[in-house]
Amino acid sequence: MSHGTGNSRRAAIAVFVALLLLTAVTVLVSYVDLGIWNAVVALLIASVKASLVALFFMHLKGENRLVWGFALVPVLFLALILLGTLSDTMLR
């Protein structure tokens, strides 16, 4: 963050606190029996945390469309893999 200002430092601290809170939520939800939905909730929380890291710490927030394309294509493949795995697990 050598090129940032105090505002970017506040944003980084806010994202860090959000990541800590989401980690605590993940731990707390793991103790609740939601059946097959435990994995779905954990993956949703993990996706939010990954999005925060990509947007703020990897500086994707201000990038152009080409960089976004390179960042989102692997995410789409991951979504297909997870969808296939979860649908197979739910249909057993």
Side-chain angles (χ1 to χ4, degrees):
M1 283 193 279
S2 62
H3 64 285
T5 62
N7 196 12
S8 65
R9 174 164 272 190
R10 275 191 226 120
I13 291 171
V15 170
F16 177 70
V17 170
L19 290 171
L20 287 176
L21 289 174
L22 287 169
T23 301
V25 169
T26 304
V27 171
L28 293 173
V29 167
S30 72
Y31 290 110
V32 178
D33 185 25
L34 300 174
I36 190 66
W37 294 102
N38 273 356
V40 174
V41 171
L43 287 171
L44 285 174
I45 295 171
S47 297
V48 171
K49 292 188 324 188
S51 298
L52 285 173
V53 169
L55 285 173
F56 292 97
F57 294 132
M58 295 174 66
H59 305 287
L60 281 180
K61 187 177 176 188
E63 290 295 333
N64 60 23
R65 289 182 185 214
L66 180 65
V67 175
W68 273 95
F70 282 118
L72 289 180
V73 167
V75 172
L76 293 175
F77 282 119
L78 177 64
L80 287 173
I81 291 169
L82 290 176
L83 182 67
T85 303
L86 288 175
S87 66
D88 180 49
T89 304
M90 288 183 185
L91 295 175
R92 287 185 181 192

